[in-house]
C-alpha cells in the first residue's frame, strides 16, 4: 500500500483544501493528514484559527479521500511524522516549493499548484469588511 502524507491548518474549510486533498490522495492508496494544532497556529501566526483544532480535524476526517488524521504539534517534527506514519510520498502546496526537499531521503516529495484566487486569509478578510 502506498501512503501519502500532507500537512496544513485547513481553517475555514474551502474548495482549495478539497482540491489539494483529492489530488494528494491520487499519489497513493492511503492519505494521512497532519492538521496543525491551535498552539502551533498561535506560535506561527500569532492568533487562534477561526475553527478550533477538534473541529478542523473532524471536517478533514469526514472526507472520503482521507484515511487518517492527526494533530501536527510542531513544524520541527515533520521528519518524525513521516517516519511514524511510514509515508511514501509527502505532498505540499506549491506555496512551500523547495521547503521540504530535505525529506527526499525519506520519501518522494511532491508540490502541487494551489487553487487560484482562494485562501482562508482572503475569506476572513472578505467577511470582515463586508457591509451589513
Ligand atoms: N491550498 C491550495 N489552494 C488554495 C489554498 C490552500 O492548494 N487556494 C493548500 C495549501 O497549499 C496547503 C493546504 O491547502 O497545502 C492547507 O493550506 P492552509 O494554509 O491551511 O490554507 P490557506 O487557505 O492557504 O490558509 P491561509 O490563508 O491561512 O494561509
Amino acid at each position: 500500500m502506498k501512503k501519502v502524507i500532507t500537512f496544513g491548518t485547513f481553517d475555514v474549510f474551502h474548495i482549495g483544501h478539497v482540491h489539494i486533498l483529492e489530488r494528494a490522495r491520487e499519489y497513493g492508496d492511503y492519505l494521512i493528514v497532519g492538521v496543525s494544532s491551535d498552539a502551533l497556529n498561535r506560535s506561527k501566526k500569532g492568533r487562534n484559527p477561526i475553527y478550533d483544532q477538534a473541529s478542523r480535524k473532524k471536517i478533514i476526517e469526514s472526507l472520503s479521500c482521507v484515511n487518517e488524521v492527526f494533530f501536527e504539534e510542531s513544524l520541527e517534527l515533520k521528519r518524525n511524522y513521516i517516519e511514524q506514519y511510514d509515508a511514501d510520498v509527502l505532498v505540499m502546496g506549491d506555496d512551500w516549493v523547495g521547503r521540504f526537499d530535505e525529506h527526499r531521503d525519506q520519501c518522494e516529495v511532491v508540490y502541487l499548484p494551489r487553487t487560484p484566487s482562494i485562501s482562508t486569509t482572503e475569506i476572513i478578510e472578505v467577511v470582515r469588511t463586508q457591509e451589513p
Side-chain angles (χ1 to χ4, degrees):
M1 185 169 60
K2 198 170 172 189
K3 290 184 173 181
V4 183
I5 196 166
T6 192
F7 297 87
T9 305
F10 301 102
D11 190 23
V12 189
F13 193 74
H14 61 66
I15 193 70
H17 295 148
V18 177
H19 285 157
I20 194 141
L21 293 171
E22 284 185 346
R23 284 176 298 159
R25 171 60 192 268
E26 285 169 13
Y27 279 81
D29 323 291
Y30 192 89
L31 177 60
I32 304 149
V33 183
V35 169
S36 58
S37 69
D38 291 340
L40 176 54
N41 273 274
R42 278 194 298 272
S43 72
K44 221 169 47 175
K45 296 188 181 174
R47 64 163 178 85
N48 275 318
I50 304 288
Y51 299 164
D52 67 21
Q53 60 183 41
S55 305
R56 291 183 287 111
K57 182 167 179 272
K58 184 125 198 191
I59 289 168
I60 302 300
E61 278 168 349
S62 75
L63 300 170
S64 58
C65 62
V66 173
N67 299 98
E68 198 171 340
V69 185
F70 67 95
F71 288 125
E72 180 185 21
E73 306 281 358
S74 162
L75 297 177
E76 315 305 316
L77 290 173
K78 287 246 167 23
R79 182 159 289 275
N80 303 47
Y81 294 132
I82 292 167
E83 199 183 306
Q84 185 185 336
Y85 288 95
D86 198 23
D88 301 289
V89 189
L90 168 63
V91 170
M92 298 297 293
D94 64 2
D95 39 334
W96 295 100
V97 83
R99 295 272 295 277
F100 296 97
D101 288 357
E102 63 185 274
H103 297 290
R104 290 198 193 277
D105 64 328
Q106 289 188 286
C107 61
E108 191 184 332
V109 179
V110 175
Y111 302 99
L112 296 178
R114 282 170 67 92
T115 302
S117 314
I118 189 158
S119 75
T120 298
T121 307
E122 205 177 304
I123 294 167
I124 294 170
E125 199 51 36
V126 167
V127 171
R128 195 168 270 156
T129 58
Q130 218 152 48
E131 300 285 336

